[in-house]
Amino acid sequence: MRDIVFTRQSGWIPQVISEDGELKLMLGAGADANHEPRTFTFPIGEAHLAVIQEDLARHLLLWSAVLPLCDAAGTRGRLDEDAAVALLDPILLSAPADVDAFFRSIPCDRGRLVAHGADLGLLKRGQVCAAMRAATDTPDGQRAQEYHADRRRAERGTVLGPLDAAVLRYTGQYLHGSTVPKRLPDAVDPALLPRVIAVIATAEQACAGMRISRDPRRGKRATDKRDWDRMAAVVDAAVRRAHPALADDAVRTVSFLMCSEASDRSRNAPMEDDEETSADRAGLGGSTRRRPLSFTDDKGVEKKWLPDGPRSATAEFWEFVGERSAGDNEVFTIEDEEKGEGVQLHFYADSLARITTVREGRGGADPEYRVEYTLVDGIGGYRNLVSVFVRGGCAALERHGSWMSDVDEFERARRRRDAR
């Protein structure tokens, strides 16, 4: 039979229970193989119970020292009760100086102490008893997360200044650098906010007019990594030049913010906007196509585009690619059947082939085609070539690539490109 003898306001702080007449400390920690919380118990004495009831700081110190033993038990192992019992007297019944010395010799969960109000300066100096004088029952999880984030930075030699920390708080990346950045002015000390806004303004001015296009080769909402890297480099250089004292973490979070926002704008824009930009890059005007086109992928799926449709041919084609492209589906074709020509995009090889009909098949004979290959520089290169073909056909592609009809010559050129 199990009865609760003593518990505190926070449900996670270990409780004292009576089990078959024996006093035990009971705590939840870790999880089992099914991700259910594990519960551990070990015996304590009446003297230990008296201290736990009267001294919150000692209670929390004991908890922080037992947690590493629970971690060591893993998902199925037993708690080392002897090791747990050996913690009781040194932590609960010893003089403060002896407790401090004891903690310098054992592992403990410092984050737990920080969450319950530990003084960080005293804790760092090893004065754990003094650090816990202002301890509280109610934990502050945010404070513990910030403590762990600072320790991770310290381990890689990074120390943040007040402005660095404020910039990271503004983007919501103080705790986790992989978090999608946001703009959170309320998270910043009002005294530092104008300086943070100045840093952000520098970044915005640096990348004004730049954009990150979508990359349908990797899915409907994927964006171009090259555009991202280009924008990040521009923002990084500008911010470092204007604010040389900023730490790398702060500079990176600003670049991440600018690139993330640009990517979101691209993902949420109609495909036609993306298409028109590609046409502008290629030096072409509006669409003049009057014949239908056929789109196919490497799986034999076909989609027709008609001139009187609501969307442009290029927008429809890249939508088709975004929906169909996959690791085993990387060849896409655009064909103008009436004119007897087309282009084939090879995403796996960063190349494109233009195909023209030299002679129609008559009397049962197969048609004769001319196939020419060119290397393509990323998704931007593909977009330009597709736009040029849609507007002007294979002839218009002549000045937009180094075309090779010899397959061996093309393969040598591709290997040289890949080797670089």
Side-chain angles (χ1 to χ4, degrees), residues 181 183 200 203-205 207 212 231 235 253-263 265:
R183 298 192 184 222
I200 301 300
E204 291 173 333
Q205 292 165 11
C207 64
I212 296 178
M231 181 179 288
V235 172
T253 198
V254 174
S255 297
F256 193 6
L257 175 66
M258 296 297 109
C259 292
S260 179
E261 290 180 341
S263 291
R265 288 193 294 271

Side-chain angles (χ1 to χ4, degrees), residues 56-57 116-119 129-137:
L56 171 62
H116 284 270
D119 182 288
C129 288
M132 298 305 294
R133 282 176 187 154
T136 62
D137 279 30

Side-chain angles (χ1 to χ4, degrees), residues 110-389:
R110 289 174 177 262
R112 197 71 59 176
L113 302 179
V114 172
H116 284 270
D119 182 288
L120 297 183
L122 293 172
L123 191 64
K124 187 175 181 179
R125 291 194 291 272
Q127 297 172 255
V128 294
C129 288
M132 298 305 294
R133 282 176 187 154
T136 62
D137 279 30
T138 305
D140 182 345
Q142 177 87 2
R143 189 170 189 257
Q145 288 180 317
E146 292 184 359
Y147 170 76
H148 286 303
D150 288 336
R151 290 199 67 182
R152 289 194 298 270
R153 292 189 187 97
E155 287 170 358
R156 52 187 172 85
T158 298
V159 178
L160 300 179
L163 181 58
D164 300 317
V167 169
L168 286 165
R169 293 183 194 282
Y170 180 88
T171 63
Q173 289 201 298
Y174 189 92
L175 300 181
H176 303 290
S178 60
T179 302
V180 176
K182 307 178 184 69
R183 298 192 184 222
L184 304 170
D186 291 344
V188 180
D189 181 343
L192 286 170
L193 185 57
R195 296 177 62 191
V196 173
I197 297 301
V199 173
I200 301 300
T202 298
E204 291 173 333
Q205 292 165 11
C207 64
M210 298 183 72
R211 68 194 304 274
I212 296 178
S213 301
R214 275 180 285 186
D215 188 349
R217 297 174 300 175
R218 298 188 294 116
K220 292 184 68 173
R221 292 182 57 78
T223 52
D224 187 359
K225 185 178 184 301
R226 289 190 181 187
D227 283 353
W228 180 294
D229 291 343
R230 190 179 302 114
M231 181 179 288
V234 168
V235 172
D236 187 282
V239 171
R240 290 182 190 278
R241 187 167 53 249
H243 308 276
L246 278 182
D248 288 346
D249 284 22
V251 175
R252 278 194 295 268
T253 198
V254 174
S255 297
F256 193 6
L257 175 66
M258 296 297 109
C259 292
S260 179
E261 290 180 341
S263 291
D264 285 343
R265 288 193 294 271
S266 180
R267 292 188 187 102
N268 295 324
M271 186 67 79
E272 282 81 0
D273 290 356
D274 227 17
E275 187 275 321
E276 290 302 326
T277 301
S278 294
D280 293 341
R281 289 174 181 169
L284 299 167
S287 177
T288 58
R289 171 158 289 278
R290 295 293 179 265
R291 292 184 305 279
L293 292 174
S294 174
F295 310 145
T296 55
D297 67 3
D298 211 22
K299 301 293 186 181
V301 174
E302 183 177 9
K303 181 177 183 178
K304 294 286 188 180
W305 175 83
L306 300 176
D308 57 356
R311 304 178 69 198
S312 69
T314 49
E316 288 281 2
F317 172 71
W318 289 117
E319 188 81 16
F320 178 67
V321 171
E323 292 171 349
R324 299 288 305 162
S325 184
D328 61 348
N329 195 22
E330 297 184 287
V331 178
F332 288 80
T333 301
I334 309 175
E335 185 177 359
D336 183 336
E337 295 178 0
E338 290 184 20
K339 197 172 181 181
E341 62 181 19
V343 291
Q344 191 172 71
L345 292 68
H346 313 123
F347 294 147
Y348 66 89
D350 286 330
S351 65
L352 179 143
R354 63 175 179 175
I355 306 163
T356 54
T357 303
V358 176
R359 185 179 296 107
E360 297 287 348
R362 291 187 177 87
D366 291 333
E368 182 181 343
Y369 300 104
R370 180 172 63 251
V371 182
E372 299 165 289
Y373 303 90
T374 189
L375 299 174
V376 181
D377 187 18
I379 187 62
Y382 278 119
R383 285 189 177 281
N384 286 341
L385 293 174
V386 167
S387 293
V388 171
F389 173 77

